[in-house]
């Protein structure tokens, strides 16, 4: 019999769905009103079209699932829900800075933050519209 104990899932290490929901609640409140993100008229319109409560629910559901919890995400894919928003790399960086600030606010340990950023980072290709770099003449 192995004496090694199984490492708890990221979901468990984050404190389960109630802790995840608290972080998501604060995070969504921040990004929904960010002037840099809302300077993109497509993002601004989306932020005013969707219910904040419903958005928080879906994000909480998604984070629960991708961190190893029992939740099952029922929303649209990241590509389907973001491809029409024309989100730039700079806007992604603002989004990521808010995420980091909220994780710090809730004292999420560095190792768990790294895992979360890896998960979130994996969605970047489906969310960010990469623009070609202009060549100097």
């Amino acid at each position: 019999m192995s004496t090694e104990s199984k490492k708890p899932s990221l979901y468990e290490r984050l404190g389960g769905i109630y802790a995840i929901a608290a972080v998501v609640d604060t995070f969504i409140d921040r990004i929904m009103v960010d002037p840099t993100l809302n300077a993109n008229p497509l993002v601004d319109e989306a932020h005013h079209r969707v219910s904040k409560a419903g958005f928080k629910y879906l994000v909480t559901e998604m984070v629960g699932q991708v961190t190893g919890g029992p939740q099952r995400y029922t929303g649209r894919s990241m590509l389907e829900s973001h491809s029409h928003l024309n989100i730039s790399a700079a806007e992604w960086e603002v989004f990521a800075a808010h995420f980091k600030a909220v994780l710090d606010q809730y004292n999420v340990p560095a190792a768990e933050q790294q895992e979360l950023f890896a998960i979130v980072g994996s969605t970047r290709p489906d969310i960010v519209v990469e623009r070609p770099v202009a060549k100097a003449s």
Side-chain angles (χ1 to χ4, degrees):
M1 183 176 272
S2 172
T3 57
E4 284 184 38
S5 61
K6 182 181 168 207
K7 181 179 179 182
S9 69
L10 179 56
Y11 178 84
E12 293 167 310
R13 289 179 282 131
L14 291 172
I17 201 63
Y18 294 118
I20 290 169
V23 170
V24 169
D25 183 59
T26 301
F27 176 65
I28 299 302
D29 283 346
R30 287 178 66 129
I31 65 167
M32 293 286 267
V33 298
D34 182 274
T36 301
L37 299 177
N38 286 328
N40 174 335
L42 299 170
V43 170
D44 185 51
E45 189 272 328
H47 283 169
H48 290 90
R49 184 182 69 245
V50 299
S51 148
K52 214 188 307 188
F55 187 44
K56 289 176 180 182
Y57 171 80
L58 286 173
V59 174
T60 300
E61 193 177 66
M62 180 191 310
V63 174
Q65 177 178 325
V66 301
T67 58
Q71 294 73 26
R72 291 296 161 247
Y73 177 61
T74 58
R76 297 183 299 161
S77 73
M78 292 299 97
L79 182 60
E80 184 182 353
S81 59
H82 293 86
S83 63
H84 64 287
L85 297 178
N86 201 26
I87 295 171
S88 69
E91 290 163 338
W92 175 269
E93 294 305 320
V94 170
F95 167 88
H98 280 297
F99 189 48
K100 171 77 170 123
V102 172
L103 294 177
D104 288 344
Q105 177 183 337
Y106 282 88
N107 300 312
V108 175
E112 284 71 21
Q113 284 196 30
Q114 276 189 302
E115 288 181 61
L116 287 166
F117 269 98
I119 292 166
V120 170
S122 73
T123 68
R124 189 181 189 282
D126 290 341
I127 295 172
V128 175
V129 174
E130 297 295 346
R131 292 168 180 82
V133 176
K135 294 180 181 179
S137 352

